[in-house]
């Protein structure tokens, strides 16, 4: 029976990934978004990776930004973090475009 995929978190070097892709009878799923992993989607594709997971890395990145903003307010009393936010219009346009694509 062929597995859905082999899920191996924590690998990040091309040699190991290539060896695993060539050694298993099924697709390899790697976890990206962990610290210090420099491989790109294209590099993973070229190695034969069929599935990429990111776990909670997007949420952790958001929490980092929230913490940085809170520290700025607390320590400096400034709000420059807001210079990097999306406007209400940009968010509405983004979600409207996504909704239009999914209909």
């Amino acid at each position: 029976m062929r597995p859905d995929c082999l899920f191996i978190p924590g690998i990040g070097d091309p040699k190991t990934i290539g060896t695993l892709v060539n050694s298993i009878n099924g697709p390899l799923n790697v976890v990206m978004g962990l610290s210090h992993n420099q491989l790109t989607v294209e590099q993973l594709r070229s190695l034969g990776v069929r599935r990429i997971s990111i776990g909670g890395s997007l949420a952790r990145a958001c929490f980092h930004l929230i913490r940085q903003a809170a520290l700025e307010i607390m320590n400096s009393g400034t709000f420059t973090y807001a210079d990097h936010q999306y406007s209400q219009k940009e968010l509405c346009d983004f979600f409207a475009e996504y909704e239009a694509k999914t209909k």
Side-chain angles (χ1 to χ4, degrees), residues 4-53:
D4 255 357
C5 70
L6 180 60
F7 179 78
I8 303 186
I11 59 169
D13 67 282
K15 183 178 180 186
T16 301
I17 292 171
T19 299
L20 287 168
V21 165
N22 293 317
S23 300
I24 63 171
N25 181 24
L28 177 66
N29 180 346
V30 297
V31 178
M32 300 304 291
L34 303 173
S35 296
H36 309 297
N37 197 318
Q38 303 300 313
L39 294 174
T40 66
V41 170
E42 187 53 43
Q43 288 170 319
L44 292 167
R45 270 193 203 124
S46 72
L47 290 167
V49 171
R50 299 274 305 277
R51 299 178 186 180
I52 301 169
S53 298

Side-chain angles (χ1 to χ4, degrees), residues 40-76:
T40 66
V41 170
E42 187 53 43
Q43 288 170 319
L44 292 167
R45 270 193 203 124
S46 72
L47 290 167
V49 171
R50 299 274 305 277
R51 299 178 186 180
I52 301 169
S53 298
I54 58 169
S57 64
L58 287 179
R60 288 190 303 273
C62 289
F63 287 128
H64 171 77
L65 293 173
I66 291 167
R67 182 176 185 266
Q68 293 303 110
L71 287 171
E72 177 189 349
I73 295 166
M74 184 175 75
N75 294 331
S76 303

